[in-house]
Amino acid sequence: MNDEVLQRGIRNWTFNIGRYSIAIFSTAIVIWFRSLLQPWLNEECPFSLFYLSVLLTAWVSGSGPAVLAIVLGTLSAAQFFIPPASSLLIEGVPELVQLTIYVIVNCVAVLLFDRAERQRRLAENRATENVRLGTDLQLADKRKDEFLALLAHELRNPLAPILSSMALLERSEGSTETVRRVREVVSRQTEHLIRITDDLLEVSRFCRGHIELLVEQLDLRDSIRDAVEMIEGAFAEKSQRFQSVIPDSPVWVDGDRVRLAQLTANLLGNASKYTPASGHVCLFVDQCNGFAHVTIKDSGIGLAAEYAERIFEPFVQVDTSRTREYGGLGVGLTIAKRLIELHHGNLSVESRGPGLGSTFTVQLPLHPNPLVETNLDTSDINRLGTLDLNTGCSGIVSIDQPNKLLLVDDNQDAAKMLRDLFESSGYQVELAADGVEAINQALRFRPSVIVMDIGLPGMDGYEAARQLRRSQHFTHVKLIALTGWGSKQDRELASQAGFDLHLVKPVAFDELLNFVRDLEMGRRQVSQAVN
């Protein structure tokens, strides 16, 4: 503290020395210039040039240094330019009158400068205060908009299924099952409304992430189903195709069911919003290496790389055009990001570029000691496999099934032709038309090799491969990309996604068959080594 005071004193002292040095310097310049004019002026106008030093000093350094300039000018004129020479004494009346006029005029000038300076500072202070008030008003208006945006955004999701349920009830009043379902939906969504409204009444607390969570051990699938229930009306309204891959076994996490449903609904709503009519939205849930993963992929407008982090900031939207086609204020992803951080998880986004869709991935820590369901009998276990207790991924480990092959291609004619050729070569073959269906078929069919196109509707081949590789079920399954994309970058993307081989169409069947057999042979050798 003492050091700070000392440093401040030194700075003030240095500043004042600089100010008063200007008075000395300007007076010295005037003395020098007046000396040059001495042969012509002699004893006339001894104070004329000293007015300039006073005015210059007052303008540059203020009233204090200007007073010093007045004193220095008076002494200099008396010493050098008023007789008797080299003396401060002034004997003549005219010289005394000039001195008096010099002092009075300069004092008045200094007072005027000082008054003008005070008025300038007052005007600057008022301008600064006006700017501050304007900023405060803008901030208050922004907070109001944020509150209204939060209110509209968060209340709309639970209200939509309530409205749909009431419409269903009007059409099926006599059905006991319908009444029961409607009652459950209304009760569940009303609870969501109450929780959300409580937090929206404290909007600043919500925006800072200070939300109280009702944490419990829960099955993440329940929150996912609640979220889908909220958003399914939006998919139906835009005739969008929604697909989901949710495991049959529980996904145990520590969290708040309402909040997890809220953030998932926000992500699904965002995907629907930025996906055109008749587009695709896919949801995939799995668990691996101690984390639960919820992936939401859409075929919407996508985004450039520079937006990957910015879109989680408040009021930032990919749509920056004047038409504001998609509306809203850009708070849904901000809410989702803050909620997932409160659950000690992570939310990320990937996109291959504008117009190529987006993929949002939620990562949540799994519960370290999950509840164990005991409703599987021996026949179920024999049918599904055995529980893997030594890896970080919970679930069912597939049993080796050689000569099983899954073909994934949206061109049904090409897929059926390849199926017939592989079946004639002794393979059991199943078909899938898109990425989501491929994952579902892989879970059911348990193939040893998957031949997959890249340009698939909804979830493309890259994303499907990534989802498969993240699951312990498909660690040793061989993936072949059979696509029309053949550049170096396409091959790198395929390798990064988890494909073992990248082939460019068209490929002769015998060549493709040899590739499949070679990969399958390598898979068997790895499996035997592991066993």
Side-chain angles (χ1 to χ4, degrees), residues 264-305:
T264 307
N266 284 357
L267 294 176
L268 288 172
N270 185 77
S272 175
K273 176 180 178 181
Y274 289 102
T275 299
S278 302
H280 297 81
V281 177
C282 307
L283 182 147
F284 184 86
V285 181
D286 68 346
Q287 48 187 329
C288 187
N289 295 328
F291 289 92
H293 299 272
V294 180
T295 303
I296 297 174
K297 180 177 176 61
D298 62 65
S299 59
I301 63 175
L303 69 154

Side-chain angles (χ1 to χ4, degrees), residues 77 120 144 161 225 245 267:
R120 184 185 66 80
K144 178 202 69 176
R225 294 187 184 103
V245 178
L267 294 176

Side-chain angles (χ1 to χ4, degrees), residues 169-188:
L169 185 61
E170 291 178 358
R171 297 186 178 185
S172 307
E173 293 182 356
S175 173
T176 304
E177 178 63 19
T178 299
V179 172
R180 184 189 62 80
R181 287 175 51 199
V182 169
R183 184 173 63 249
E184 291 177 353
V185 169
V186 172
S187 175
R188 186 163 50 249

Side-chain angles (χ1 to χ4, degrees), residues 267-467:
L267 294 176
L268 288 172
N270 185 77
S272 175
K273 176 180 178 181
Y274 289 102
T275 299
S278 302
H280 297 81
V281 177
C282 307
L283 182 147
F284 184 86
V285 181
D286 68 346
Q287 48 187 329
C288 187
N289 295 328
F291 289 92
H293 299 272
V294 180
T295 303
I296 297 174
K297 180 177 176 61
D298 62 65
S299 59
I301 63 175
L303 69 154
E306 58 266 23
Y307 277 99
E309 290 298 330
R310 289 195 60 217
I311 59 171
F312 296 113
E313 299 174 6
F315 309 108
V316 173
Q317 289 182 305
V318 176
D319 175 32
T320 57
S321 63
R322 292 185 178 181
T323 59
R324 303 292 289 173
E325 175 184 355
Y326 299 98
L329 289 178
V331 295
L333 292 179
T334 304
I335 296 170
K337 181 77 170 178
R338 289 170 180 167
L339 287 176
I340 196 62
E341 288 173 350
L342 290 175
H343 285 83
H344 308 290
N346 181 58
L347 173 60
S348 60
V349 60
E350 294 180 358
S351 177
R352 286 187 287 161
L356 299 177
S358 305
T359 301
F360 289 85
T361 302
V362 173
Q363 188 180 60
L364 280 171
L366 290 171
H367 192 283
N369 299 304
L371 298 175
V372 179
E373 290 192 344
T374 59
N375 57 350
L376 288 177
D377 58 23
T378 305
S379 60
D380 291 329
I381 295 177
N382 291 334
R383 178 175 56 85
L384 294 176
T386 59
L387 289 175
D388 184 4
L389 301 178
N390 298 318
T391 68
C393 303
S394 62
I396 306 301
V397 178
S398 59
I399 301 173
D400 286 341
Q401 295 290 345
N403 298 327
K404 280 191 172 184
L405 185 132
L406 177 63
L407 292 174
V408 187
D409 199 324
D410 58 333
N411 186 329
Q412 292 298 303
D413 291 335
K416 291 178 180 178
M417 185 64 67
L418 277 178
R419 180 189 62 186
D420 294 343
L421 290 170
F422 274 110
E423 286 180 345
S424 66
S425 301
Y427 281 85
Q428 302 177 45
V429 183
E430 290 288 343
L431 301 181
D434 56 49
V436 174
E437 186 179 356
I439 295 173
N440 284 322
Q441 287 281 55
L443 287 169
R444 181 189 62 81
F445 184 55
R446 304 299 172 125
S448 57
V449 179
I450 299 177
V451 179
M452 186 183 306
D453 190 11
I454 297 299
L456 301 171
M459 181 184 291
D460 63 15
Y462 294 132
E463 181 62 26
R466 281 192 288 266
Q467 297 292 350

